[in-house]
Amino acid sequence: MSNTRIWVDTAAMAERLGIHPKTLLRLRKQQRAPFVEGTHYRYGGLTTGAPLQWFPEQTDQAFTDFRRVPVSAVETFSALEAVA
């Protein structure tokens, strides 16, 4: 039995999740991020400027299980204020 982990780049991981690569990168940086460095992604080089590599199975599961925030909690303007 092999213990090899398969890692994919950001574009492939975003495609697998059905989201844009920039959305995936933005989600990674959020305060309540569903992804953890070393578990879901890693840097493909010695610096934080290196491209990210994603572990597909665990990243997919974390994205699926992540509790979303209601849109009203994120909304920064009100349609009613715009009409007034």
Side-chain angles (χ1 to χ4, degrees):
M1 179 159 82
S2 176
N3 217 8
T4 304
R5 291 176 72 156
I6 297 172
W7 298 85
V8 298
D9 66 10
T10 298
M13 190 69 243
E15 184 176 344
R16 179 178 173 140
L17 295 174
I19 61 176
H20 194 277
K22 287 188 179 188
T23 302
L24 178 58
L25 294 174
R26 191 171 45 249
L27 282 170
R28 178 185 68 87
K29 291 185 175 184
Q30 287 184 347
Q31 186 176 3
R32 294 186 53 238
F35 312 119
V36 176
E37 183 179 350
T39 301
H40 304 105
Y41 68 93
R42 67 181 180 186
Y43 292 95
L46 298 177
T47 69
T48 56
L52 292 175
Q53 298 173 330
W54 297 84
F55 186 44
E57 289 76 21
Q58 289 190 358
T59 302
D60 193 350
Q61 192 63 51
F63 185 72
T64 300
D65 294 344
F66 184 63
R67 291 187 173 263
R68 273 41 177 202
V69 177
V71 71
S72 60
V74 179
E75 193 67 47
T76 58
F77 61 90
S78 170
L80 294 177
E81 291 176 6
V83 174

